[in-house]
Amino acid sequence: MKPLFLLPASAALLAGCLPGAGPALEIAEHDLPAIAIGTAPALAIDTVRVEAASWLAETSIGYRLKYAEASRRHAYAHSRWAAPPAELVERALMRTLIESQPGQHGGCRLHIVLTEFAQEYTHPEHSSFTIEARATLLPARGERALARRVFNQRSAAPRPNAAGGIQAARTSLQALAEDMLHHWLAELRAERPHLAARCRSEENGR
């Protein structure tokens, strides 16, 4: 009888490590695409810089078994990210900005810190991918924050394995981009109209 905490896919992952199991499986590397947000951000944004907590510094695709060992982090054996999560998220968001603001140069900056980027299993067959991040809006020059917000996006994985987690990660990143670059900046512009002029003046002053 299998222990409850062993995922259905775990046996296949471990099989390649056993003597006589045959050649090891190739490790697949996965990227994150640019995200379409429909319209340009309400505030002119020049750059996005993404950092991550130390436990997210590697390229492993992490997951947690919250129903068994919620505090323990695991990693899939035969799938990994093409780069550390912070680099992938930064690249995807920058491509999103470029595509949504064609020809624009200058503006305010976004500094993002990832605090979670992992698949979480609440049952051997059910999981979701969570992205938690702290975002800070900064002027073009200087480090005095103009605004801050914490974001938490969670998307259900269609399958209980690495492929399902990767698909859910892309869905969570889509939601994060829409919430951060569209809804949050639109709210800031509506609540604090001077920020729009501030970002425009920073843009023109470059």
Side-chain angles (χ1 to χ4, degrees):
M1 179 177 177
K2 290 183 181 179
L4 179 62
F5 58 82
L6 184 64
L7 295 175
S10 297
L13 295 177
L14 295 173
C17 302
L18 298 176
L25 295 176
E26 180 182 356
I27 297 178
E29 294 189 345
H30 300 270
D31 201 351
L32 292 172
I35 305 300
I37 59 173
T39 59
L43 299 175
I45 303 297
D46 183 34
T47 60
V48 175
R49 181 166 62 93
V50 181
E51 299 178 351
S54 59
W55 54 87
L56 298 175
E58 299 181 354
T59 59
S60 57
I61 298 179
Y63 66 91
R64 294 178 184 270
L65 305 179
K66 295 191 73 173
Y67 59 89
E69 297 176 284
S71 63
R72 184 178 176 184
R73 302 182 73 89
H74 303 262
Y76 287 107
H78 299 296
S79 295
R80 67 186 180 196
W81 298 117
E87 184 177 337
L88 293 180
V89 171
E90 180 175 297
R91 179 173 177 267
L93 294 180
M94 278 301 301
R95 288 172 59 194
T96 299
L97 280 178
I98 291 170
E99 292 175 6
S100 65
Q101 303 176 134
Q104 178 179 296
H105 299 284
C108 290
R109 298 171 293 144
L110 277 175
H111 178 213
I112 300 168
V113 178
L114 295 178
T115 54
E116 185 59 287
F117 195 85
Q119 188 174 3
E120 298 180 342
Y121 284 84
T122 55
H123 179 276
E125 299 296 325
H126 303 292
S127 67
S128 58
F129 199 95
T130 297
I131 301 178
E132 295 178 358
R134 301 193 307 268
T136 303
L137 181 68
L138 297 166
R141 298 179 182 83
E143 299 301 318
R144 185 174 181 178
L146 301 176
R148 290 189 176 93
R149 178 172 289 187
V150 174
F151 295 85
N152 188 324
Q153 297 294 343
R154 181 178 290 107
S155 300
R159 295 179 298 282
N161 54 22
I166 292 161
Q167 187 173 340
R170 291 170 175 165
T171 303
S172 289
L173 183 58
Q174 170 79 48
L176 178 71
E178 291 176 352
D179 198 12
M180 185 181 298
L181 300 179
H182 181 62
H183 300 299
W184 181 44
L185 296 182
E187 290 174 8
L188 286 175
R189 178 166 182 163
E191 295 170 359
R192 299 160 63 183
H194 69 280
L195 287 180
R198 177 75 181 272
C199 289
R200 282 199 303 271
S201 65
E202 297 287 4
E203 173 187 354
N204 294 334
R206 278 192 158 191

